[in-house]
Amino acid sequence: MDNLDWNQLKAFLETAETGSLSAAARKLGLTQPTLSRQVAAIEQRMGVTLFERVGKAMALTPTGLDLLEHARAMGAAAQALRLAASGRSQSVGGVVSVSATYGAAAYFVAPLVRKLREKEPTIAIEVIASDAISDLLRREADIAVRHVKPDQPDLIARFVREATANFYASEDWVRVHGHPRHAEEAAHLPFVGADRSGHFLAYLHQQGLPLSEANFSCYADHSMAQWSLVRHGMGIGAMIDEIAGDTPGIVRVLEDVPPLRFPIWLVTHRELRTSRRIRVVFDALAEGLAAGR
């Protein structure tokens, strides 16, 4: 099995990771028939069966499972090679991608992009707004604004500051329901939920709020959609104080409940940290986020 084709190996790896030919094809920018041929070709080259079709899914065979870790190691080595080459580029110009939650992207990162553009006009910033954590090792972003410290050894992180969030409602909501200040007053009031899995409810219980599922008038797993529901009078919701303070028509409620506290981390790959344009953006974001809005 000489001269293993790297495209075929990527086809195997992405199909194994996604469990679907169509999903792997989309991720690699290929048509599904092209990807299917590449998977068939690597099976023929190796002389083994790597996948079994289960409905629309592609399930790894025992042989495929055995080879998966080796394929991952080869993929990581190739990625490290690309990162090293990228890190040696000292050109300031180019595109730097920054991922952040929807709220942080809109309220914290966007104003800093404008300032950075004024100082470094040859750098273009791609803002990736997502409440999911970007995989920096696989270059889903160059830099990430996170609320948790990464545990991968190949990532470096800088603690920026601690942010706080409190509970808010719209002025119209307060006129109808009154102005609750104590945790026990929340027991029969409507809230805007972040999920239906119970995780958000459990978090509110940790804050001393005696709530149940019956308190939620609606749900939204998108942080900005959730905040929009609060603004439109659907119930009480939690929000970062700086964002709430910049939103007209909003009143802080449940003032006697302790604020929610969470860290802000700035994260990048240690190889990319040696790239001048990445370093410029990283340092500018760290300074701006530390200062707040």
Side-chain angles (χ1 to χ4, degrees), residues 22-268:
S22 58
R26 285 194 300 270
K27 195 164 185 179
L28 293 173
L30 302 174
T31 65
Q32 185 171 332
T34 297
L35 184 74
S36 181
R37 286 194 296 270
Q38 290 182 347
V39 171
I42 194 172
E43 287 182 323
Q44 183 177 7
R45 183 182 292 269
M46 290 182 171
V48 296
T49 300
L50 300 172
F51 296 98
E52 292 177 344
R53 186 178 292 275
V54 181
K56 294 184 178 180
M58 297 290 285
L60 283 166
T61 64
T63 301
L65 282 170
D66 289 340
L67 297 178
L68 179 59
E69 288 306 314
H70 298 290
R72 283 174 173 163
M74 294 178 68
Q79 184 67 7
L81 182 63
R82 287 192 293 270
L83 291 171
S86 174
R88 281 194 289 270
S89 173
Q90 293 303 305
S91 173
V92 175
V95 178
V96 177
S97 56
V98 180
S99 73
T101 64
Y102 292 104
Y107 287 89
F108 297 146
V109 176
L112 298 178
V113 170
R114 179 179 178 179
K115 292 181 180 179
L116 181 61
R117 182 69 177 180
E118 292 171 351
K119 292 178 61 177
E120 300 288 350
T122 62
I123 296 179
I125 305 297
E126 178 189 12
V127 179
I128 303 172
S130 173
D131 286 338
I133 295 179
S134 297
D135 189 341
L136 300 186
L137 294 179
R138 300 186 68 175
R139 290 296 295 275
E140 292 180 354
D142 296 319
I143 301 171
V145 181
R146 294 184 179 176
H147 298 311
V148 293
K149 183 179 181 180
D151 55 10
Q152 298 98 321
D154 286 335
L155 297 181
I156 60 171
R158 181 185 299 182
F159 174 74
V160 177
R161 65 182 172 92
E162 184 180 72
T164 59
N166 280 284
F167 294 97
Y168 294 90
S170 70
E171 292 176 348
D172 291 339
W173 187 94
V174 171
R175 279 193 286 269
V176 174
H177 296 275
H179 189 134
R181 300 182 185 277
H182 309 289
E184 55 269 20
E185 296 178 74
H188 304 292
L189 294 175
F191 278 69
V192 177
D195 60 66
R196 297 181 62 189
S197 65
H199 294 304
F200 185 60
L201 178 59
Y203 192 68
L204 296 179
H205 285 166
Q206 293 176 9
Q207 299 305 117
L209 296 176
L211 304 179
S212 69
E213 290 290 346
N215 289 97
F216 295 119
S217 63
C218 52
Y219 301 85
D221 61 1
H222 186 304
S223 56
M224 288 295 95
Q226 184 186 13
W227 186 232
S228 181
L229 290 168
V230 173
R231 289 171 44 234
H232 284 85
M234 291 303 299
I236 297 172
M239 180 49 65
I240 297 173
D241 292 327
E242 290 155 291
I243 296 178
D246 203 31
T247 306
I250 288 294
V251 178
R252 182 180 169 187
V253 296
L254 301 175
E255 292 94 325
D256 289 348
V257 177
L260 313 175
R261 300 183 181 276
F262 52 92
I264 297 179
W265 291 88
L266 203 58
V267 187
T268 188

